[in-house]
Amino acid sequence: MYKRQILANVPNFPLSLATAGIGEYPLLKALSRYVRNGGGLAIFTGDRVDLSFYNGPFYDQGIGLCPARIAPPVDLTREKKTFVRLKRDSIAPEWVMRSFQGKRGLFTEMIRFYGFTPVEQTGMSVASAEIGPVRILARFDNTRQVGSVPDSPAILARAFGRGEVMMICTSADKQWTDWPKDITYVPFINDMVQFLSRRSDSGLTGMVGQPIYYTLGSEFSSATVTLKTPVFPLRDVITLSLIHISEPTRLGMISYAVFCLK
């Protein structure tokens, strides 16, 4: 059964008073429980996003659903003469980004973003027993945009309990981007839905034709990873290559390793 929720330019969640007179967010608690139990969540930003909510209870000092603190949006839609694109060399090797991998990286030159939400990269959520490290799947080439840090993350993801959260730092519609009109949009959304529908505890089960990813802790960064296929010993053991990744957090750099089989 596929399980996923999508927030598209949602400003905030309603605040309620608990019996003790303390404010709480019942919908946020329910959504956090849903993702922690294996659900998937996609977050698209937009001009209605309430920064105090996203950087407050939604981020919750690094242990909430929102994977990073965000800055005021950069809106270039007035004349649509200035825009940013996805950086071709920033596309992560995870299969959910396959619409832009390899030769398909040329598609990054076809999509314009007239608005985006900058990410405060020094305030990303810290990995813990229940929360995985933030993985930057793509960045914007916003080097010319005054007031925003260059190469701002465009798409982020991380494990949250047994579920997965993905954040796309632009609108899901044509308000901020012409991406919905591009041929890569529907395939990406389909891959995103499938990506978010897979439970974290079934991460060792792949699909035919897709790479297999598994994240290792930093203590295994020099490990040798091997794989026996179902036809072993007719086919020899396969040695997998490791990809070492370092990401900034508010407590410093977190390093981890990903191995991939294609």
Side-chain angles (χ1 to χ4, degrees):
M1 180 179 178
Y2 285 176
K3 301 198 301 181
R4 66 273 180 183
Q5 297 290 331
I6 298 177
L7 303 179
N9 201 11
V10 173
N12 51 45
F13 289 170
L15 177 66
S16 300
L17 288 179
T19 53
I22 301 174
E24 63 178 12
Y25 294 87
L27 288 180
L28 180 56
K29 290 178 63 176
L31 184 59
S32 298
R33 183 169 57 250
Y34 162 83
V35 178
R36 189 176 290 110
N37 290 337
L41 172 65
I43 306 168
F44 286 86
T45 61
D47 63 343
R48 301 175 61 207
V49 163
D50 180 353
L51 289 180
S52 63
F53 174 76
Y54 276 67
N55 292 336
F58 204 22
Y59 175 69
D60 197 13
Q61 300 182 5
I63 61 172
L65 283 173
C66 191
R69 290 177 56 86
I70 57 177
V74 175
D75 191 344
L76 310 169
T77 58
R78 177 168 296 181
E79 297 181 356
K80 290 193 174 181
K81 294 181 179 179
T82 306
F83 52 86
V84 299
R85 301 188 190 275
L86 295 178
K87 286 192 66 176
R88 182 175 179 178
D89 61 0
S90 74
I91 304 300
E94 297 198 31
W95 67 265
V96 71
M97 299 301 298
R98 59 183 175 176
S99 294
F100 301 104
Q101 292 170 353
K103 295 181 179 179
R104 293 186 292 272
L106 291 172
F107 288 131
T108 59
E109 300 297 321
M110 302 171 61
I111 305 169
R112 299 180 180 186
F113 298 92
Y114 303 102
F116 66 95
T117 302
V119 169
E120 296 183 7
Q121 300 181 58
T122 57
M124 291 187 180
S125 300
V126 179
S128 66
E130 290 191 352
I131 301 176
V134 176
R135 308 181 318 272
I136 299 176
L137 307 186
R139 294 179 181 271
F140 292 118
D141 65 346
N142 61 311
T143 55
R144 299 181 182 179
Q145 306 307 315
V146 178
S148 62
V149 178
D151 303 334
S152 183
I155 304 175
L156 309 91
R158 64 155 180 181
F160 189 88
R162 291 158 53 198
E164 190 83 21
V165 177
M166 180 179 288
M167 186 173 186
I168 299 90
C169 300
T170 191
S171 63
D173 55 17
K174 294 185 291 184
Q175 180 188 30
W176 276 2
T177 175
D178 59 8
W179 192 9
K181 299 187 294 184
D182 189 78
I183 59 175
T184 61
Y185 189 71
V186 172
F188 171 79
I189 294 297
N190 287 337
D191 285 343
M192 181 193 76
V193 169
Q194 185 178 344
F195 175 77
L196 295 175
S197 300
R198 300 195 322 169
R199 298 167 66 97
S200 294
D201 56 7
S202 63
L204 295 179
T205 300
M207 301 186 70
V208 174
Q210 293 180 345
I212 298 174
Y213 293 93
Y214 190 75
T215 302
L216 300 175
S218 58
E219 66 273 20
F220 299 109
S221 59
S222 59
T224 299
V225 181
T226 59
L227 176 70
K228 293 181 180 179
T229 69
V231 296
F232 179 84
L234 297 178
R235 184 181 181 185
D236 201 3
V237 172
I238 301 172
T239 300
L240 306 181
S241 58
L242 288 173
I243 302 172
H244 297 279
I245 301 173
S246 294
E247 299 289 358
T249 72
R250 60 194 175 104
L251 296 183
M253 298 292 291
I254 281 187
S255 298
Y256 55 98
V258 177
F259 67 77
C260 172
L261 170 68
K262 292 186 177 180

